[in-house]
Amino acid sequence: MNTAPEPRPLRVAVYSSKPYDREYLELANREHGHDLRFLESRLTLDTAPLAAGHQAVCVFVNDELSAAVLEALAAEGVRLVALRSSGYNHVDLAAAAKLGITVTRVPDYSPHAVAEHCAGLVLALNRKIHRAYNRVRENNFALSGLLGFDLFGKTVGVVGTGRIGTCFARIMVGFGCRVLAADPMPNEECRGLGVEYVPLEELCARSDIVALHCPLTPRTHHLVDRERLAGFKPGAMLINTSRGALVDTEALIDALKSGRISHLALDVYEEEAGLFFEDRSELLPRDDLFARLLSFPNVLVTGHQGFFTREALAAIGDSVVAALTAFAHGETPQNTVAPPEQPSG
């Protein structure tokens, strides 16, 4: 009687890994036995050879997965790219398909994590908690310059009502806000919360607070550009916890200077790849645009930490290891990213 050979655990190069990645991936991998090799290096064309002898790589949002990098990985024997993120705009999917490389993602790590961080940024910006914290540490208890506004009764615009956008909308409804939404595919759950769907232009014109919760695609690149910002309600607050390149940074700085945008919070930045996730406190700033953003007292930036909760890291670990295990069994992992459709004719 013939029996199928036992699937062999995969050798996996885990790029851009931090101690917390190791903790949660090893926890998820306890009963599966994959050989996880943790690398601090970010995946680039120069570091792709570190994956030699590995069947898979596990990568994060700022790793490079261009056609050239994927070709280098394929030459080293890599057949699976397991993303530790939901977004995959940094992956050349057409090149991956051509090379026979499967790409998986983590679509549901914790929408609550990002939505709650977004709500926290709204509160911190509005009530200037970050500035008050620094004042009190210097024995300054004056209230001048810390004036905020009631969230109750304000209009909040949610751009993108997937899982994260829906969670954020629910939180804002709980504060007593009127919530508008813009999305080409309206969400019935949001409608059930009383959310009103309107065109994006109307959302920007009517909203006191605009929160971006949409993916980065060629169509949404610089979705908030100079023209769009000109249509914002004067003095609006803008929050971006999605992808940095949704916003044109130069146009945003001009909108801050003119007062069109009165409050800005970013958890992402379009040039964050060489900046975020590292301690750069001893280095001189090299990004002039980012330095200008940080010079505004009404700007609050966090370093892409919206996803960073225990629950989200555990879910990411479980999803990544499930993809590795399915691939090792010769199955198509559940969260495989479909290659782009080829034009006919």
Side-chain angles (χ1 to χ4, degrees):
M1 179 178 179
N2 293 329
T3 58
E6 285 292 320
R8 298 181 63 182
L10 300 182
R11 295 196 69 209
V12 186
V14 184
Y15 283 88
S16 299
S17 64
K18 303 296 181 188
Y20 46 83
D21 294 308
R22 182 168 195 146
E23 178 184 352
Y24 284 92
L25 284 170
E26 287 185 337
L27 183 65
N29 189 44
R30 283 181 307 177
E31 298 178 3
H32 298 275
H34 299 293
D35 182 5
L36 305 180
R37 180 188 176 202
F38 293 92
L39 304 170
E40 293 184 10
S41 305
R42 190 165 67 93
L43 175 59
T44 65
L45 190 57
D46 290 334
T47 61
L50 296 175
H54 296 74
Q55 296 87 40
V57 295
C58 180
V59 296
F60 199 42
V61 292
N62 290 329
D63 288 303
E64 293 180 19
L65 290 146
S66 63
V69 172
L70 289 166
E71 287 170 6
L73 292 175
E76 301 293 355
V78 171
R79 292 293 175 265
L80 172 67
V81 170
L83 303 175
R84 303 195 300 277
S85 60
S86 58
Y88 49 88
N89 55 281
H90 55 313
V91 185
D92 189 327
L93 295 175
K98 184 177 179 180
L99 293 163
I101 294 177
T102 299
V103 179
T104 66
R105 69 187 187 110
V106 184
D108 296 318
Y109 52 84
S110 175
H112 304 284
V114 180
E116 290 171 9
H117 187 70
C118 186
L121 292 174
V122 171
L123 292 168
L125 260 184
N126 173 32
R127 304 307 298 268
K128 303 170 179 63
I129 294 171
H130 55 305
R131 298 178 64 189
Y133 171 79
N134 288 328
R135 281 192 187 185
V136 169
R137 287 174 63 84
E138 296 176 354
N139 243 19
N140 179 356
F141 302 97
L143 298 182
S144 299
L146 302 181
L147 188 66
F149 55 83
D150 288 357
L151 282 179
F152 183 84
K154 296 299 185 292
T155 300
V156 177
V158 182
V159 183
T161 52
R163 294 176 179 86
I164 296 173
T166 299
C167 285
F168 179 71
R170 187 181 302 111
I171 293 169
M172 291 296 101
V173 168
F175 274 107
C177 298
R178 179 177 185 177
V179 179
L180 306 178
D183 195 307
M185 299 179 65
N187 186 323
E188 291 305 315
E189 183 178 352
C190 279
R191 282 189 166 136
L193 295 169
V195 173
E196 178 187 357
Y197 279 89
V198 297
L200 181 56
E201 292 75 13
E202 182 179 345
L203 180 149
C204 294
R206 292 173 56 189
S207 297
D208 301 293
I209 300 166
V210 176
L212 304 180
H213 294 292
C214 49
L216 178 62
T217 68
R219 293 187 64 182
T220 62
H221 182 267
H222 283 184
L223 179 71
V224 179
D225 57 10
R226 197 172 300 278
E227 182 179 357
R228 184 84 65 201
L229 286 164
F232 269 56
K233 184 176 182 178
M237 176 188 292
L238 176 63
I239 314 286
N240 185 11
T241 56
S242 294
R243 287 291 182 268
L246 293 173
V247 180
D248 181 338
T249 306
E250 289 194 38
L252 189 55
I253 288 173
D254 289 340
L256 285 165
K257 289 168 64 178
S258 71
R260 174 67 65 172
I261 298 297
S262 66
H263 301 78
L264 171 70
L266 303 175
D267 188 49
V268 290
Y269 174 61
E270 59 182 326
E271 299 297 333
E272 71 177 58
L275 185 65
F276 285 5
F277 306 114
E278 304 294 339
D279 180 358
R280 304 186 187 278
S281 57
E282 301 297 324
L283 302 176
L284 293 174
R286 295 184 178 181
D287 187 324
D288 291 341
L289 279 180
F290 191 69
R292 290 181 68 188
L293 277 176
L294 295 181
S295 71
F296 288 88
N298 54 341
V299 172
L300 177 57
V301 178
T302 53
H304 208 137
Q305 72 179 77
F307 77 99
F308 201 56
T309 66
R310 296 183 184 91
E311 293 82 358
L313 287 176
I316 289 170
D318 289 343
S319 181
V320 166
V321 171
L324 298 175
T325 302
F327 192 82
H329 281 78
E331 303 168 0
T332 300
Q334 181 178 1
N335 295 321
T336 295
V337 181
E341 293 185 5
Q342 298 297 319
S344 57

